[in-house]
Amino acid sequence: MAAVLLLAGCGSSGAGGGAPDPAAPLTVALQFPPRADYAFDADDGARLATLGVAETLTTVDDAARPAPMLATSWQQQGNTWRFTLRPGVTFHDGTPLTPQAVVTALSYVAGVSAPPRSVRGIGFRVAADGPDAVKITTRAPDPVMPLRMSSGNLGILAPSAYAGGGAPKVLRTATGPYVLDSTQGTASAELVRNESYWGPKAGAARVTVRYVEDPQARALAIQSGDVQFAEGVPQAQLDQVRSAGAQVVEYPNARTVPLQLNESAKPFDDIRVRQAVTAAIDRPVLANQVLAGGAAPASDLFGSAVPWGATTPPPGADVERAKQLLAEAGYGPQNPLTVRLWTFPNRPELPTLANAVQAMLGAAGVKVEVTVGNYEAQEPEVLAGRYDMFLNSRSYLSDFPDAASTLSSDYTCGGSYAIDQYCSREYDALIKKLDGTVDPAQRQRMFTEAADLLTRDAVGVMLVHPRNTAVLRGATGFVPDPLQVKPILPQLTPVR
């Protein structure tokens, strides 16, 4: 995975020179503010994990396998998993981590009206099991419970967080290397180093977290020196921040931009037409020129963000091959093909890509009518199969680093998000086997096999995998996590 990272700036001392100073404060600009006051039953829970404040029972290693966090080991017996807790851990309020504390925390988040997707609909129950362990039981044997427990929405807080009823209190009640000292709504938060942390100490004595949603504003903040770290700086601003002496890190994102094709109706019920569209689109050009290097060309559903993803670049366009396939399907100058392409502006790269795809397919003789509209209005139509082409953006990991959920919801015959209207008994049989497959390496081989089937059957066109960006100026130590499970901030150390 390290081989695919694109680094600008050398050495470990951080952009701008100087020596690491763990006693100094740090200011960072993050792009996603808390929308629900850091609630664990919303996506905000994962933000606390990103900050290094809250911790989960497990984390993942670089191979996307479960690894110890607040639990040190686990064993499965039927539909029950037993997690042994790490000894000597204390919450930020000074109380010890106990099995009953874990039961209280997980029972709360599993019992809300809309539980996190990682534990929703599986009959999740948790109970203490002796002085140092908990047992988690599900309706049916669950092969990926240790991975589920790495979801940021399943952070463990002290019993005092739940004492007053209602939403848990997140200030000074977690276990992580940083203590959440104060919050200012969606504007900012203050963190202080947890000097009693059970693991390696955080890199800064204090961190001011600024939530800056405007990407240009984040770039300006790093250029001016107002912050020492910023995430999600746009590709167009990277040269500017480099010229200001910043270090830029670009790394893979577990997200794909697919051009989805409606297989339930003409013309895309014909695999030759789907193959023609694939041949006509130059994915390396889309990634490297249209998006100016802000994405990697996609060879399949998965890319280099995950260990099982394809890393070999796809071929460029073969317009003559596309025309030949269209002719075999009955389309050509005498019977031209016209299709509708829908997309939405929420992700700014999508309209740009839609226009490029329109031009590429036009060169192969396909007229494309592009509509950029509201996703909420488009979704019911595409799910019902009342569309031609849909340019989407999709994370292929759902809350924890296992692809089974996306492979099932998006591509099985009865999938809840099966926009392509793809239905294959061979594919469904493969996905069904995942229900009984515990070994992470074997599961990952099956993910690769599933992606190969989608490519073989020309199920849409996987166009690009967007890249993440991080910028440091006055800080060092950033380690990219394409899986977005591990905390960002504790590794950062100010540079003086």
Side-chain angles (χ1 to χ4, degrees):
M1 191 175 294
V4 300
L5 301 180
L6 304 178
L7 301 179
C10 301
S12 61
S13 62
D21 184 3
L26 188 70
T27 302
V28 302
L30 304 185
Q31 56 185 327
F32 299 118
R35 299 296 187 188
D37 199 24
Y38 299 97
F40 279 111
D41 51 328
D43 288 339
D44 283 9
R47 172 54 68 193
L48 284 177
T50 298
L51 298 179
V53 170
E55 294 181 310
T56 49
L57 289 184
T58 65
T59 183
V60 296
D61 62 17
D62 289 341
R65 298 169 302 196
M69 181 62 84
L70 291 181
T72 57
S73 62
W74 41 87
Q75 303 83 33
Q76 183 182 23
Q77 293 182 332
N79 61 348
T80 296
W81 284 87
R82 186 179 193 271
F83 290 82
T84 301
L85 302 184
R86 184 180 297 278
V89 176
T90 58
F91 291 103
H92 296 157
D93 65 1
T95 59
L97 174 71
T98 64
Q100 189 54 51
V102 174
V103 170
T104 298
L106 293 181
S107 296
Y108 168 82
V109 74
V112 297
S113 58
R117 291 178 293 272
S118 51
V119 295
R120 187 183 306 167
I122 60 173
F124 182 94
R125 290 179 295 152
V126 58
D129 187 46
D132 65 347
V134 296
K135 280 188 175 180
I136 294 175
T137 304
T138 51
R139 200 176 297 117
D142 187 277
V144 292
M145 186 57 68
L147 280 176
R148 291 182 187 275
M149 290 297 100
S150 71
S151 168
N153 289 329
L154 303 180
I156 308 300
L157 299 182
S160 62
Y162 307 91
K169 301 175 181 62
V170 296
L171 293 181
R172 296 175 287 280
T173 58
T175 62
Y178 277 122
V179 179
L180 185 62
D181 194 47
S182 65
T183 62
Q184 292 78 43
T186 61
S188 63
E190 293 290 331
L191 316 177
V192 295
R193 183 190 287 131
N194 177 11
E195 300 295 351
S196 301
Y197 183 56
W198 58 265
K201 299 297 187 291
R206 173 176 289 273
V207 180
T208 298
V209 178
R210 297 180 185 173
Y211 296 111
V212 184
E213 294 187 77
D214 181 15
Q216 283 74 31
R218 292 195 298 274
L220 289 173
I222 201 83
Q223 284 179 253
S224 65
D226 288 343
V227 303
Q228 291 80 56
F229 173 84
E231 62 178 4
V233 174
Q235 198 73 23
Q237 272 72 50
L238 293 184
D239 285 343
Q240 295 178 19
V241 298
R242 286 189 184 101
S243 66
Q247 179 190 22
V248 175
V249 182
E250 297 180 69
Y251 58 103
N253 189 346
R255 176 173 292 275
T256 301
V257 175
L259 179 63
Q260 300 186 278
L261 309 176
N262 180 10
E263 295 189 23
S264 68
K266 292 184 178 300
F268 298 119
D269 59 346
D270 189 328
I271 191 173
R272 294 170 297 185
V273 180
R274 302 197 303 272
Q275 291 171 336
V277 170
T278 302
I281 294 176
D282 197 320
R283 287 169 280 178
V285 166
L286 292 179
N288 300 321
Q289 298 181 28
V290 176
L291 296 183
S299 298
D300 68 2
L301 172 61
F302 307 115
S304 59
V306 292
W308 61 86
T311 57
T312 302
D318 187 342
V319 176
E320 293 307 313
R321 173 64 175 159
K323 291 180 178 178
Q324 178 186 343
L325 287 164
L326 289 169
E328 292 174 6
Y331 299 101
Q334 305 305 316
N335 183 30
L337 177 59
T338 299
V339 296
R340 301 164 298 163
L341 190 163
W342 295 352
T343 193
F344 49 95
N346 305 59
R347 293 190 174 272
E349 70 271 17
L350 295 186
T352 301
L353 288 170
N355 290 332
V357 167
Q358 180 185 49
M360 290 175 178
L361 292 181
V366 179
K367 181 180 179 182
V368 178
E369 298 172 349
V370 175
T371 298
V372 179
N374 180 272
Y375 175 83
E376 285 71 22
Q378 293 169 343
E379 185 185 71
E381 296 299 301
V382 297
L383 287 174
R386 295 188 290 265
Y387 80 103
D388 294 335
M389 308 170 76
F390 185 58
L391 187 57
N392 202 357
S393 181
R394 184 76 165 144
S395 172
Y396 51 75
L397 299 179
S398 177
D399 297 310
F400 56 96
D402 186 87
S405 176
T406 296
L407 290 172
S408 176
S409 66
D410 289 24
Y411 300 107
T412 57
C413 296
S416 60
Y417 197 71
I419 289 176
D420 295 275
Q421 308 292 315
Y422 173 64
C423 186
S424 162
R425 290 183 179 180
E426 180 184 3
Y427 177 89
D428 279 18
L430 172 64
I431 300 307
K432 182 64 177 175
K433 292 179 182 177
L434 287 168
D435 293 342
T437 304
V438 176
D439 180 62
Q442 186 177 353
R443 291 181 70 83
Q444 292 176 12
R445 288 192 293 270
M446 295 167 71
F447 297 158
T448 299
E449 187 178 346
D452 289 344
L453 287 176
L454 297 177
T455 300
R456 182 200 70 183
D457 293 343
V459 183
V461 186
M462 308 305 166
L463 298 183
V464 298
H465 302 296
R467 288 193 175 108
N468 289 323
T469 59
V471 180
L472 301 91
R473 186 178 179 214
T476 188
F478 177 69
V479 178
D481 177 26
L483 299 174
Q484 297 183 315
V485 173
K486 300 174 184 176
I488 293 175
L489 299 186
Q491 61 194 310
L492 298 177
T493 302
V495 172
R496 294 300 187 198

